[in-house]
Amino acid sequence: MSRPIRVLLHANDPITRAGLATQLVGYPDVDLVDSDADVSHGGTGTIDVALASVDAVDKQTIDLIRGLHWAGRPVVLIVTDLGSSDVTAAVEAGATGLIRRASATPGQLLSAIRGAVNGEGFLPPDLLGGLLNQVRQVQTQVLAPRGLTLSGISERERDVLRLVSEGCDTREIGRQLSYSERTVKNVLQDVTRRYGLRNRSHAVAYALRQGLL
């Protein structure tokens, strides 16, 4: 980003907000916006990252994250009381970065802000294992029994798309995977219909861009 990162500061009290500003002021690549007016009044185009300080991840905080995340703006959350069970709720609401208030040094704040602009997440290391464990549980207990993966496509669909990307036609794909040609065609139709794609070539291109193959 050639211009400074515009950061909207949000806190429930002016003292906390001033404290955040003090930690970030003076960095040339950060432009602080000390106003909550932009949260819900059309100013989202001028804000790159929202930095919010809260006490806990409760219903009020979830609503706040969703408001700040409006129009896809990344949200970095500083939380006084942050446990493993809070991570999933905050991330689902739109939080990109999570920081404990006790460890919110200027360096950590800057890393989270700069990472958010580049689409990178930020999470306390001790909570990362818990999040990964939840992801594994979803995969093994919910998706796998239904033949799905975290990417949203099944292993069968991935196998078919992989062979299409290698130049195989319907008959060759059916022979290699022991499917009928009708099954191969149905798999491809399901994928193209689900993601609004035009044809099998478009499906392969989409899968490659999304890292599904």
Side-chain angles (χ1 to χ4, degrees):
M1 182 175 293
S2 58
R3 60 173 176 79
I5 302 169
R6 300 206 74 209
V7 180
L8 172 69
L9 297 181
H10 175 88
N12 293 328
D13 63 89
I15 294 178
T16 301
R17 188 179 303 167
L20 288 176
T22 299
Q23 293 199 62
L24 295 172
V25 71
Y27 290 93
D29 63 336
V30 175
D31 180 17
L32 301 179
V33 181
D34 191 16
S35 172
D36 290 335
D38 288 283
V39 174
S40 59
H41 292 86
T44 56
T46 64
I47 304 299
D48 299 308
V49 180
L51 179 64
S53 177
V54 298
D55 292 327
V57 180
D58 51 20
K59 184 181 184 303
Q60 184 177 357
T61 295
I62 294 300
D63 290 341
L64 172 66
I65 296 171
R66 288 171 177 161
L68 292 170
H69 185 59
W70 187 68
R73 176 172 50 198
V75 178
V76 175
L77 203 64
I78 304 169
V79 190
T80 301
D81 184 14
L82 180 62
S84 58
S85 61
D86 301 320
V87 174
T88 303
V91 171
E92 287 178 347
T96 300
L98 294 168
I99 303 173
R100 287 193 178 94
R101 189 191 301 273
S103 60
T105 63
Q108 196 172 53
L109 292 176
L110 285 169
S111 294
I113 290 170
R114 291 165 178 164
V117 172
N118 295 320
E120 302 169 1
F122 191 95
L123 190 67
D126 64 296
L127 295 180
L128 182 58
L131 179 61
L132 293 176
N133 185 54
Q134 290 182 43
V135 171
R136 283 192 293 269
Q137 288 181 353
V138 170
Q139 172 63 46
T140 58
Q141 299 177 15
V142 179
L143 298 178
R146 294 168 172 79
L148 299 175
T149 65
L150 288 170
S151 64
I153 65 173
S154 67
E155 290 296 339
R156 181 172 70 170
E157 290 169 340
R158 178 177 290 169
D159 289 340
V160 170
L161 289 172
R162 176 178 54 80
L163 290 174
V164 172
S165 72
E166 294 174 0
C168 298
D169 60 21
T170 302
R171 179 177 298 178
E172 290 173 316
I173 294 171
R175 178 174 55 79
Q176 291 196 40
L177 298 179
S178 299
Y179 296 156
S180 68
E181 291 187 40
R182 182 179 182 83
T183 295
V184 174
K185 291 178 181 179
N186 287 339
V187 168
L188 290 170
Q189 288 174 357
D190 287 343
V191 173
T192 54
R193 186 183 305 112
R194 186 187 314 146
Y195 295 105
L197 306 171
R198 294 186 298 276
N199 48 47
R200 62 175 61 190
S201 297
H202 192 192
V204 169
Y206 174 83
L208 290 172
R209 285 198 306 271
Q210 298 299 317
L212 304 180
L213 293 181

